Amino acid sequence: MQHFTTTIPTMKELEEWMFRKMQGLFTAAMRTALEKLDEIILEQRDRERYRVKAERETSMNTVFGNIRFKRRLYMDRQTGKYVYLLDQHLRFEGRGKVSPHLLETAIAFAAEGPSYRDSARRLEQLLGYPVLSHEAIREKLIEQAEKPVKAVEKRKARVLFVEVDGLYTKLQRRKRHGMEHAIAVVHEGWEQVGKRVRLTNKQHYLHRSEGDFWEGFGDFLTEQYAIDEDTWLVVGGDGASWIGECESYFHKCIYMLDRFHVARDLKRFVGHLPKIWKDARQALARQEPAALMAAVESVAIEEIAPDKRDEWTAYKSFLRRHRKHLEDYRKTLEANGIDTTGMRPMGSAEAQMRVLAKRTKRGGYSWSERGSRAMLTTVMRSKQAGWLEEADEHKVETPERVFSVRKILKDAIRPAKGCVDGMIRLLRSQWQSRPTGLALKGLKGY
């Protein structure tokens, strides 16, 4: 090794150098591909409707760096508006300055947390240049969250399972210190994935309006599912009065008390009584309300801590009122001729809330009402397929000409020949208007 006279870079230096080179190749190839696609659209457009107005240059940040390219502006004779047909065909807003893939990456980083600033730092570290500020990422996330998503085909389901809960977030610069978001998770059952169990076709609903939660949720259901008077809803909740109102809104609805909350409260009161706590826990697991109430009623008031006795009395009354809501819902479904094979006890509401609370409560952040709703919507959509697909606002005909992306890219990344091909490469880039480019142009003729 001591005989080597060549300085060999480290693996890190080599990797960084190769990545920067690949960024340069990508930007050149992408620019060529976009401009050639624009030419194809020019040839295949409806000439009677679209008239070329101008050719304008724009720039766009991507995961491989900034790209500058030209595209044509057309006047639509039918509407009298000016449009970029390339943007419409690519389903991309060219004035946004950020590529869809980079935007999705930035929003995904922000949704994972812990903050918008951290998302901006991670993007800069990954790509090697400052892409978006933390405030720009926040604005993009809110903008995307407030856009309508792509319509889905309504699904048919005989039984739908609904886990409902509220999530409290702190508010900034408001008279109210915080607000509670009413959230529902809808799924069609459970499926085994390896050693884990996953909810089937999970959908989220975040109540936004000031109106009644269940009315808004009913509208959401009719948009997502082909439901009728024979559809059963199995609703799980923590016993809050607004959740229990579901039974008065839907024809066939079974309300179940969430076992996680019941177990948590019982342990707080009788956790110091091993036998009572064991009997209550086992009865709750078997979904036997009679055995559970027997264990609860057997507790003497003297066995409860003095500072908790009033709460214990109120909680026993609460369990008595909700005794039927501790029954196994599968018995009711079976009595109505529904096969319950594969159905499991309800109780995933708290796990779903933990996923949402992880981003909105971690770090002690406070939110604006709009910002908190946007973040919750983004986290919910990220758990569903096609989460960043928007509703189609502009539908245009696809050009009939078949083109080869491979050929376009081959032309874009061909080896540079310097000034042999009659043009200095620098004068074909954005650097042509910089001092060096202007100086080279000034030498023309010498």
Side-chain angles (χ1 to χ4, degrees):
M1 296 294 290
Q2 64 268 27
H3 301 295
F4 285 1
T5 58
T6 303
T7 302
I8 299 178
T10 64
M11 177 60 76
K12 178 182 177 181
E13 293 171 340
L14 183 60
E15 186 178 4
E16 289 177 346
W17 182 83
M18 290 293 293
F19 185 70
R20 301 293 172 251
K21 281 293 183 181
M22 292 301 296
Q23 284 182 310
L25 290 174
F26 173 87
T27 54
M30 192 67 169
R31 179 176 63 249
T32 300
L34 291 171
E35 292 180 351
K36 289 201 173 186
L37 286 173
D38 195 51
E39 291 177 4
I40 294 174
I41 294 172
L42 173 67
E43 297 173 4
Q44 297 293 319
R45 78 187 191 282
D46 183 350
R47 296 176 183 271
E48 295 182 359
R49 178 176 178 180
Y50 297 105
R51 178 173 68 85
V52 179
K53 176 65 177 178
E55 187 178 37
R56 295 180 180 176
E57 187 178 54
T58 187
S59 64
M60 174 177 64
N61 283 333
T62 72
V63 292
F64 284 96
N66 184 268
I67 298 174
R68 300 188 67 86
F69 62 97
K70 293 181 179 179
R71 71 201 199 287
R72 291 171 178 82
L73 177 68
Y74 298 86
M75 189 189 78
D76 188 341
R77 292 188 175 97
Q78 289 186 6
T79 63
K81 296 181 179 180
Y82 292 95
V83 297
Y84 290 100
L85 291 183
L86 178 64
D87 294 1
Q88 290 189 3
H89 282 287
L90 296 178
R91 299 181 183 179
F92 164 66
E93 179 55 60
R95 291 173 294 181
K97 305 300 182 182
V98 181
S99 72
H101 180 54
L102 178 57
L103 176 62
E104 183 175 348
T105 302
I107 291 177
F109 281 174
E112 292 174 2
S115 66
Y116 291 111
R117 290 183 185 274
D118 181 75
S119 176
R121 285 194 296 267
R122 281 196 283 171
L123 280 176
E124 182 175 358
Q125 183 180 10
L126 176 65
L127 305 180
Y129 73 102
V131 185
L132 292 168
S133 67
H134 69 279
E135 186 59 31
I137 295 176
R138 176 183 178 274
E139 292 176 359
K140 293 292 184 182
L141 183 144
I142 293 176
E143 179 184 339
Q144 289 293 325
E146 293 178 346
K147 286 184 177 180
V149 295
K150 186 177 181 180
V152 296
E153 183 179 353
K154 293 185 178 181
R155 299 180 59 84
K156 294 182 179 180
R158 183 73 187 280
V159 181
L160 289 174
F161 302 90
V162 186
E163 305 276 3
V164 185
D165 205 347
L167 180 67
Y168 184 85
T169 57
K170 294 182 179 179
L171 294 180
Q172 53 186 212
R173 296 186 294 273
R174 292 289 188 276
K175 292 182 179 179
R176 292 187 299 163
H177 293 295
M179 66 179 296
E180 186 176 37
H181 302 273
I183 299 170
V185 180
V186 188
H187 61 95
E188 300 171 24
W190 297 261
E191 57 182 343
Q192 195 77 30
V193 182
K195 295 182 179 180
R196 304 186 65 180
V197 176
R198 183 173 61 187
L199 303 182
T200 305
N201 298 318
K202 181 171 62 175
Q203 301 289 331
H204 294 83
Y205 170 71
L206 172 64
H207 189 59
R208 295 175 176 272
S209 66
E210 297 297 330
D212 184 83
F213 170 83
W214 290 109
E215 288 186 1
F217 178 72
D219 294 336
F220 167 79
L221 279 185
T222 56
E223 292 174 0
Q224 301 291 325
Y225 297 94
I227 60 176
D228 53 30
E229 64 276 4
D230 294 325
T231 304
W232 282 85
L233 291 185
V234 181
V235 180
D238 61 3
S241 57
W242 66 272
I243 299 178
E245 292 175 358
C246 62
E247 293 178 304
S248 62
Y249 277 86
F250 300 99
H251 179 58
K252 293 184 177 181
C253 179
I254 306 173
Y255 177 41
M256 295 289 301
L257 208 58
D258 185 73
R259 295 182 303 160
F260 170 83
H261 291 90
V262 176
R264 182 189 62 186
D265 293 335
L266 283 175
K267 186 176 183 179
R268 185 164 63 92
F269 291 117
V270 301
H272 63 289
L273 304 173
K275 185 179 185 308
I276 298 296
W277 169 233
K278 179 181 178 181
D279 292 343
R281 187 173 68 250
Q282 290 178 348
L284 191 61
R286 295 193 303 266
Q287 294 184 283
E288 297 177 353
L292 175 64
M293 293 308 301
V296 169
E297 299 291 355
S298 67
V299 180
I301 192 66
E302 292 78 11
E303 296 180 288
I304 303 299
D307 59 331
K308 297 180 181 178
R309 288 175 182 175
D310 291 341
E311 292 183 66
W312 171 245
T313 301
Y315 190 68
K316 284 200 299 183
S317 299
F318 170 82
L319 290 179
R320 293 190 194 103
R321 292 195 307 271
H322 288 280
R323 177 169 178 160
K324 69 173 185 177
H325 300 141
L326 293 166
E327 289 276 1
D328 191 341
Y329 72 90
R330 290 171 290 193
K331 295 179 181 179
T332 303
L333 294 181
E334 288 172 354
N336 285 270
I338 298 177
D339 182 14
T340 60
T341 303
M343 294 185 183
R344 300 169 62 91
M346 299 287 284
S348 62
E350 193 64 23
Q352 303 299 321
M353 290 303 109
R354 279 198 293 267
V355 174
L356 301 173
K358 181 180 178 181
R359 179 60 181 94
T360 56
K361 291 189 174 184
R362 183 176 60 182
Y365 295 115
S366 58
W367 304 79
S368 65
E369 292 188 23
R370 187 184 178 203
S372 63
R373 289 194 182 102
M375 179 56 72
L376 289 172
T377 300
T378 301
V379 176
M380 290 175 180
R381 290 180 181 177
S382 68
K383 306 302 178 183
Q384 299 166 191
W387 65 284
L388 204 57
E389 294 184 8
E390 305 167 12
D392 293 336
E393 297 180 359
H394 306 286
K395 290 187 177 180
V396 293
E397 296 181 0
T398 304
E400 297 180 358
R401 175 179 168 184
V402 179
F403 62 94
S404 171
V405 176
R406 178 176 296 181
K407 184 177 184 304
I408 290 177
L409 295 180
K410 182 178 180 181
D411 293 341
I413 62 176
R414 69 184 188 278
K417 300 179 182 178
C419 59
V420 176
D421 59 359
M423 174 62 73
I424 299 176
R425 307 301 292 182
L426 181 142
L427 297 180
R428 289 184 177 177
S429 68
Q430 68 269 28
W431 299 95
Q432 59 182 312
S433 59
R434 300 293 176 86
T436 304
L438 293 176
L440 290 174
K441 289 180 180 179
L443 295 174
K444 184 178 181 181
Y446 286 93

